[in-house]
Amino acid sequence: MTAVKCLVWDLDDTLWDGVVLEGDRPPPFAPAVRALQTLDRRGVLHAVAGRGDRAASTAHLAALGLDTWFSRVEIGWGSKSDAVRRIADALDMPLDAVAFVDNDPAERSEVASALPQVRCYRADQVGGLALLAEFRTGPVTEEARGRRDLYRVERRRGDAEREFPGTRGDFLASLDLVMTVRRAGEADLERARELTVRTHQLNTTGVTFDLPELRRLCRSPRHEVLVAALRDRFGSYGTIGLTVSELTGADAVLLLLLTSCRVLSRGAGGVLLEHLVARALAAGRRPVAHFVTTPVNQAMLVTLRFAGFEVLEQDGDRMVLAVDPARPRPARSGHVRVVLAQDGPEGAGR
């Protein structure tokens, strides 16, 4: 079951006890406030899909001190399903990672019909949401606790991009993007496990690892587990990538590559893959990759092909791909500089 990454709230008679446009200044429901706090600490984002006047509703959110809890606010008179879809698009989240809560059965039915991937809950279920399996993803990392702040910084980036006078390429170059790659240590393992559980679109094999498996792989002399973090002039994106490779014979076999959906537009997956290919070739090994097709990860196959991987074997949804060390390498991405945590900068575009 996909973990819920964002809970979308109705406002009137769901988050608070009353209707703002009827002149009420309703207090929030206590179970709703507890749910906001508990799920936020777990890294679940909150958003609003409300019906009514945006100015009045946002003013009441601010008066209650609740406005900073929400990463996206959609309030108007259109359909709730359209609002939920815009929220998912704005947060770069698949719809099956989004949930919706509303007191009105007609609104829940409309969302469920238009967006069957979105899980819908009644307002009177809010107090128990934190107990449901889809909202419980294991131990909470520091990064999860700070996820709301990461998305707040992301809104600043989005505003800057919309106001930027040049091309998209020029904007990416202006960000001063730096990717730090390091071997995973004990402190990284919970975040690495969280990435495998939460990331589905940008996962080459759909594999998930629990903590004992990750710990075993990190200690194995035949395996290499790397994590990647990304930052720019606005701040940190956090730990956004994980790779697991097996060193076997003359090959470096990529068993898993995944990156967070939040950095899809930054080309982070391609940059990390280029780094792995260069690393394998520098060690005299042939880069090989496993790929398993899922309903949502075709972007990763495209990333592999752009990095020079060609299909060697295919059995149904499973592929083995490799880079021919004798062939010229594709041009490298130029807007991200890769730094090795222990060895220092590698140079622009690596």
Side-chain angles (χ1 to χ4, degrees):
M1 175 186 295
T2 304
V4 172
K5 299 180 183 180
C6 179
L7 178 60
V8 180
W9 293 74
D10 171 54
L11 295 178
D12 293 335
D13 294 325
T14 299
L15 178 62
W16 50 55
D17 188 11
V19 179
V20 169
L21 275 186
E22 293 180 357
D24 297 338
R25 291 296 177 262
F29 290 112
V33 174
R34 287 195 294 271
L36 282 171
Q37 295 170 337
T38 300
L39 297 179
D40 178 79
R41 286 195 295 270
R42 295 180 188 175
V44 176
L45 298 178
H46 296 290
V48 170
R51 192 174 299 287
D53 179 76
R54 179 182 176 89
S57 296
T58 54
H60 191 55
L61 277 171
L64 295 174
L66 298 178
D67 53 323
T68 61
W69 291 96
F70 296 96
S71 297
R72 193 79 184 177
V73 175
E74 294 279 345
I75 300 173
W77 299 105
S79 72
K80 292 288 184 74
S81 63
D82 285 344
V84 171
R85 192 188 302 276
R86 287 193 297 270
I87 289 166
D89 289 344
L91 298 178
D92 283 331
M93 286 188 183
L95 287 168
D96 64 355
V98 176
F100 174 67
V101 59
D102 198 305
N103 68 298
D104 189 334
E107 301 283 23
R108 295 195 305 272
S109 178
E110 189 272 329
V111 170
S113 176
L115 306 174
Q117 311 97 311
V118 174
R119 281 160 281 194
C120 297
Y121 302 93
R122 304 186 311 272
D124 62 7
Q125 292 179 282
V126 161
L129 291 183
L131 301 176
L132 300 179
E134 57 265 38
F135 290 94
R136 300 180 67 87
T137 58
V140 178
T141 64
E142 285 297 323
E143 195 152 321
R145 281 188 282 268
R147 186 162 287 122
R148 175 162 47 106
D149 291 332
L150 292 176
Y151 276 83
R152 184 177 293 115
V153 172
E154 186 59 32
R155 283 204 303 275
R156 291 172 52 209
R157 293 187 184 104
D159 292 342
E161 183 170 7
R162 283 187 291 273
E163 297 168 3
F164 190 78
T167 66
R168 176 168 177 74
D170 291 338
F171 175 73
L172 291 175
S174 78
L175 289 176
D176 298 326
L177 285 155
V178 178
M179 180 182 289
T180 302
V181 181
R182 65 181 183 277
R183 288 183 180 271
E186 183 65 30
D188 299 305
L189 295 186
E190 183 53 51
R191 172 56 178 160
R193 185 206 66 82
E194 183 183 46
L195 276 171
T196 69
V197 171
R198 296 176 67 94
T199 303
H200 299 276
Q201 288 178 297
L202 304 182
N203 184 326
T204 52
T205 58
V207 169
T208 61
F209 291 113
D210 59 22
L211 282 175
E213 289 173 313
L214 285 169
R215 198 168 281 119
R216 177 183 61 79
L217 290 167
C218 287
R219 293 171 178 170
S220 166
R222 294 177 48 247
H223 293 86
E224 186 174 63
V225 181
L226 303 177
V227 292
L230 190 67
R231 68 178 299 107
D232 64 15
R233 61 186 173 90
F234 290 97
S236 175
Y237 295 78
T239 301
I240 51 83
L242 170 70
T243 72
V244 179
S245 299
E246 182 177 14
L247 308 179
T248 173
D251 293 340
V253 183
L254 183 62
L255 303 178
L256 172 68
L257 165 69
L258 63 84
T259 56
S260 169
C261 298
R262 290 187 294 107
V263 294
L264 175 62
S265 64
R266 302 297 182 253
V271 172
L272 182 54
L273 187 58
E274 289 169 5
H275 170 72
L276 293 175
V277 170
R279 188 183 183 93
L281 293 175
R285 297 181 183 273
R286 181 181 64 159
V288 176
H290 290 182
F291 181 81
V292 179
T293 302
T294 72
V296 295
N297 74 342
Q298 286 302 301
M300 294 306 276
L301 181 58
V302 174
T303 300
L304 287 164
R305 299 305 299 269
F306 269 115
F309 283 84
E310 300 291 339
V311 178
L312 296 181
E313 305 171 15
Q314 183 166 1
D315 182 8
D317 293 336
R318 297 178 176 274
M319 299 182 193
V320 178
L321 306 95
V323 170
D324 182 351
R327 293 186 64 178
R329 299 289 305 124
R332 290 174 173 171
S333 304
H335 60 270
V336 182
R337 180 167 56 95
V338 175
V339 171
L340 298 183
Q342 294 180 339
D343 300 334
E346 278 205 323
R350 292 293 295 273

